[in-house]
Amino acid sequence: MNEPVIKTNKLTKRFGGFIAADEITFTVDQGEIFGFLGANGAGKTTAMRMLCGLSIPSSGQATIAGFDVYKQTEQIKKNIGYMSQKFSLYEDLTILENIRFFGGIYGLSDRQLKTKSEELIDKLGLQNEAKKLVASLPLGWKQKLSFSVAILHEPKIVFLDEPTGGVDPVTRRQFWDLIYNAADNGVTIFVTTHYMDEAEYCNRISIMVDGKIKALDSPANLKASFGVGSMDEVFYELARGAKRSD
Amino acid sequence: MRTIRFLLQKEFRQIFRNRAILAMVIVMPVIQLLILPMAANYEVKNINIAIIDNDHSSYSQKLISKITSSGYFKLTGYNFSFKEAFRLIETDDADLILEIPRGFERNLVRENGQKIFIAVNAINGTKANLGGVYLTGIIKDFNGEVRLQLVPPAKFDRTLSIDIASSNWFNPFLDYHVFMVPGILAILVTMVGGFLAALNIVKEKEVGTIEQINVTPIKKHHFILGKLIPFWVLGNVVFTLGLIVAWLIYRIIPVGNIFLLYSFVSVYLLAVLGFGLLISTFCETQQQAMFIMFFFMMVFILMGGLFTSIDSMPDWAKAVSQFNPVSYLIEVMRMIILKGSGFKDILRQLGIIALFAVVFNGWAIFNYKKTS
């Protein structure tokens, strides 16, 4: 088996007296779809930002694709894709311009940019919208576009922070098709979500409560060990003990 | 280099799609250059004067008509008592009161002298001060005429007097436009550049797009350069428009070398844009950036030597203005445009501004954190 692509050991982030992420330890293997669950304010986004090199941990260790989260944040950034909770492509650029801009920043060649953007637009079925401003797209399409942009440079790992928030069920389904597609190509998916049906799509999931990881296993094993029939119940069992809320 | 190309492409696209920025860059400077130099004039006209003529003689009438025909004064009250006239000052209808005493003509003819009384409303300092000076000048002139008439030339008292004849270099007719236009242009270039730069990165923070940038392997100095260059180009556009307006409307053509002028402005823009970018790395919202920039702009502009001369400031203020980039630009603009100064003459200012540019931009790059 290969070395895990994400490896953390007691990773902690404090904001003053508040411990947003408390001694998180886990590993994620290559090609895995890893679900990162937790109630609002449980510390999912904080943990993810540390793994992406956007935020320096307060203590603990972590390596992403073999790079250290303290010292090698820029190398990490070359190897990951990231899609934030808040839509963050440029609304005043067209779809094509956004694709070309981010591709260019990641250092794709002109030829790669051309073929990649054509491929991507075909895949998303956005031929008619390619030259429209992103601001005019419906949310579901925006989310699919940001995911595609996040994996444009063929990263080893892609981090998705609540990618399907506020999106209709049909589009969510399509979104997960994109995720499976990427995972089949060997991309490791690290995804946070609130939707328990989505949790079922993951290979393994971790559930965070009050900054700590309270459970980590495959959905089937978790259901078995809690003796319940659905992920909803597992989540409820764990999350109702939470003291923090947002 | 490739990264910068993509950054510039993106930035220019966004600028050209944003009508507000285009308006700020093109319309605002032109309008301001058309309006401000006309209004911002040190010459005080329309000083309101109330006159109390207690004499009603031909001499007092002569003096009054001399005052009102000078073009500087507007007779807003012709009163019979000081109390009445003073009420005009209280209601702000008069800036000056001139009281001509009873027996003005008689004393002038018989006793060869007469005191008259001037009261000045000092609330509007400049106006009152200049008004007092003008009025004294007119009365002195009147005095000279009267003496010539009354005193036979033979008996004329040849008191020694030194008459000062001054000539104004570089602006022979003391045309205020010539003085103000380069200064106002300097301020416009500073405002447009500074504000555009200060608001830009903060806007990306507010919208959230900076997060998507920060998670890429982009180099910090590439990102800052990608912001700096587009606004540098816009700043030069503003400056060029300003020079065209100065030439078409005010007939001001730079006496000195135009390339030297552009070289200085180019370096200056790097400094002021760097300052704006530095502020935007410290702020989280456009509102914060706006207020902080506004604070510095007020200080820079009011202490920049456009409205009040730096030479007449107290020592501490002179020391502060050493750190005010705007004061160097105004100074150099006037030197090159009006006086035709050469490279050697502006070397000191150029060096200081270059230093500002390096410090501000270096600091902005340092302070821009991709990882918090």
Side-chain angles (χ1 to χ4, degrees):
Chain A
M1 203 46 210
N2 290 338
E3 182 78 346
V5 286
I6 302 176
K7 207 162 72 179
T8 75
N9 181 24
K10 297 191 172 175
L11 197 64
T12 302
K13 180 80 183 188
R14 280 183 219 96
F15 296 107
F18 178 77
I19 304 172
D22 193 0
E23 303 204 334
I24 296 172
T25 304
F26 64 91
T27 58
V28 180
D29 292 321
Q30 206 211 317
E32 211 179 355
I33 301 179
F34 188 83
F36 206 57
L37 276 61
N40 291 329
K44 298 182 306 272
T45 301
T46 307
M48 187 179 255
R49 286 173 53 86
M50 286 192 283
L51 302 179
C52 291
L54 285 174
S55 165
I56 295 286
S58 308
S59 65
Q61 296 94 43
T63 56
I64 310 299
F67 297 108
D68 181 63
V69 289
Y70 291 95
K71 292 179 195 129
Q72 297 173 301
T73 53
E74 296 307 294
Q75 277 98 321
I76 289 176
K77 286 169 187 174
K78 275 184 199 147
N79 288 286
I80 62 162
Y82 173 71
M83 178 179 165
S84 84
Q85 208 168 10
K86 196 171 164 190
F87 179 74
S88 48
L89 298 185
Y90 290 96
E91 303 243 354
D92 48 357
L93 296 183
T94 67
I95 293 175
L96 209 56
E97 286 163 357
N98 266 295
I99 297 172
R100 289 180 55 82
F101 171 68
F102 283 104
I105 295 290
Y106 278 107
L108 301 191
S109 71
D110 283 340
R111 196 191 308 150
Q112 276 175 315
L113 279 177
K114 195 169 181 302
T115 52
K116 283 258 175 194
S117 51
E118 279 168 9
E119 253 175 53
L120 203 156
I121 285 167
D122 280 347
K123 194 167 80 183
L124 297 177
L126 292 173
Q127 289 88 345
N128 295 328
E129 282 79 16
K131 290 195 172 138
K132 282 189 187 159
L133 294 187
V134 165
S136 66
L137 289 181
L139 183 66
W141 289 11
K142 281 184 184 170
Q143 299 297 77
K144 284 192 269 181
L145 179 66
S146 4
F147 175 73
S148 308
V149 169
I151 57 167
L152 194 67
H153 57 291
E154 299 173 358
K156 290 201 177 105
I157 310 158
V158 60
F159 291 89
L160 310 172
D161 195 0
E162 289 178 28
T164 54
V167 169
D168 67 74
V170 177
T171 314
R172 262 169 62 198
R173 197 56 220 238
Q174 292 169 343
F175 195 91
W176 275 88
D177 287 340
L178 290 174
I179 292 181
Y180 275 119
N181 199 297
D184 286 345
N185 292 329
V187 181
T188 307
I189 313 282
F190 187 102
V191 56
T192 73
T193 180
H194 283 308
Y195 298 108
M196 290 307 136
D197 57 328
E198 292 187 349
E200 305 266 11
Y201 301 150
C202 300
N203 300 123
R204 279 194 308 146
I205 54 175
S206 75
I207 299 179
M208 253 182 120
V209 179
D210 289 348
K212 292 191 175 70
I213 291 184
K214 285 285 160 117
L216 198 168
D217 212 329
S218 68
N221 288 348
L222 281 176
K223 282 184 280 189
S225 67
F226 280 81
V228 292
S230 70
M231 277 309 301
D232 261 341
E233 289 167 274
V234 175
F235 186 79
Y236 186 70
E237 280 293 319
L238 286 166
R240 72 174 171 186
K243 294 182 182 65
R244 291 195 327 224
S245 62
D246 55 346
Chain B
M1 270 331 279
R2 244 177 91 75
T3 313
I4 293 192
R5 194 188 91 196
F6 283 105
L7 283 167
L8 293 183
Q9 220 171 31
K10 164 207 159 244
E11 217 60 57
F12 275 114
R13 277 190 178 124
Q14 290 183 303
I15 289 168
F16 283 114
R17 279 182 196 152
N18 189 336
R19 280 161 187 273
I21 291 189
L22 287 182
M24 191 167 159
V25 168
I26 294 167
V27 182
M28 195 183 89
V30 172
I31 292 180
Q32 294 207 345
L33 265 179
L34 290 181
I35 295 173
L36 285 182
M38 307 281 190
N41 193 326
Y42 291 132
E43 215 172 338
V44 175
K45 283 186 178 158
N46 302 325
I47 303 163
N48 297 320
I49 189 167
I51 296 177
I52 310 152
D53 185 1
N54 292 323
D55 199 41
H56 300 286
S57 59
S58 68
Y59 272 126
S60 73
Q61 286 305 318
K62 251 185 211 163
L63 178 61
I64 292 167
S65 75
K66 194 170 169 62
I67 290 167
T68 50
S69 63
S70 68
Y72 294 108
F73 296 96
K74 214 164 80 189
L75 192 63
T76 50
Y78 189 76
N79 305 93
F80 300 99
S81 74
F82 187 78
K83 216 172 163 186
E84 234 176 84
F86 195 74
R87 194 161 300 129
L88 288 176
I89 281 203
E90 284 179 329
T91 55
D92 221 16
D93 290 317
D95 302 304
L96 284 176
I97 300 175
L98 172 71
E99 189 172 10
I100 302 171
R102 197 181 303 273
F104 173 71
E105 185 178 272
R106 195 190 57 214
N107 289 341
L108 213 58
V109 175
R110 287 199 197 148
E111 292 170 26
N112 222 344
Q114 172 61 46
K115 285 205 167 90
I116 57 177
F117 176 71
I118 300 174
V120 177
N121 176 9
I123 285 186
N124 184 342
T126 322
K127 203 174 180 184
N129 204 353
L130 282 176
V133 173
Y134 291 162
L135 191 57
T136 319
I138 290 169
I139 293 168
K140 198 177 152 199
D141 210 33
F142 177 77
N143 195 16
E145 285 170 25
V146 171
R147 267 172 61 159
L148 264 176
Q149 274 180 19
L150 294 178
V151 184
K155 280 169 73 186
F156 199 78
D157 176 19
R158 286 209 179 81
T159 318
L160 276 178
S161 67
I162 297 173
D163 219 11
I164 301 167
S166 59
S167 70
N168 301 300
W169 281 58
F170 310 119
N171 184 3
F173 305 108
L174 270 188
D175 182 346
Y176 282 98
H177 298 153
V178 172
F179 188 67
M180 293 303 282
V181 169
I184 289 172
L185 183 53
I187 284 177
L188 279 174
V189 169
T190 310
M191 296 255 285
V192 172
F195 275 104
L196 282 181
L199 292 181
N200 189 279
I201 295 183
V202 187
K203 189 187 164 202
E204 293 222 23
K205 283 188 192 173
E206 265 186 8
V207 181
T209 47
I210 195 121
E211 187 113 314
Q212 204 64 51
I213 295 284
N214 287 344
V215 83
T216 68
I218 193 171
K219 299 256 188 316
K220 290 202 304 183
H221 66 273
H222 284 167
F223 180 74
I224 295 287
L225 273 178
K227 294 288 180 195
L228 193 63
I229 296 169
F231 296 129
W232 182 83
V233 172
L234 288 187
N236 273 306
V237 169
V238 171
F239 182 62
T240 308
L241 278 174
L243 284 184
I244 293 172
V245 172
W247 167 59
L248 287 179
I249 307 292
Y250 303 105
R251 297 284 153 205
I252 297 171
I253 299 164
V255 180
N257 187 324
I258 193 107
F259 292 106
L260 185 65
L261 190 59
Y262 268 97
S263 308
F264 187 85
V265 168
S266 293
V267 179
Y268 174 80
L269 276 169
L270 292 180
V272 73
L273 293 174
F275 184 71
L277 291 177
L278 177 63
I279 284 180
S280 78
T281 62
F282 276 108
C283 299
E284 290 306 318
T285 63
Q286 295 191 64
Q287 202 178 32
Q288 286 173 354
M290 194 82 184
F291 274 110
I292 294 179
M293 199 62 194
F294 197 73
F295 167 77
F296 280 106
M297 281 292 169
M298 288 289 278
V299 176
F300 284 172
I301 291 170
L302 290 179
M303 294 183 75
L306 176 63
F307 300 110
T308 47
S309 165
I310 293 175
D311 293 327
S312 58
M313 288 179 190
D315 285 341
W316 64 265
K318 275 185 204 166
V320 170
S321 73
Q322 298 275 311
F323 297 95
N324 179 357
V326 178
S327 70
Y328 295 98
L329 180 64
I330 291 176
E331 193 184 346
V332 169
M333 291 265 274
R334 283 177 180 158
M335 281 168 80
I336 298 178
I337 295 181
L338 306 183
K339 212 159 104 180
S341 299
F343 179 68
K344 274 187 189 155
D345 305 313
I346 65 157
L347 203 55
R348 188 182 73 90
Q349 288 86 343
L350 190 64
I352 294 172
I353 286 296
L355 190 68
F356 276 135
V358 171
V359 170
F360 288 146
N361 286 294
W363 193 356
I365 292 171
F366 172 78
N367 203 52
Y368 162 50
K369 297 266 188 290
K370 285 181 69 186
T371 304
S372 57

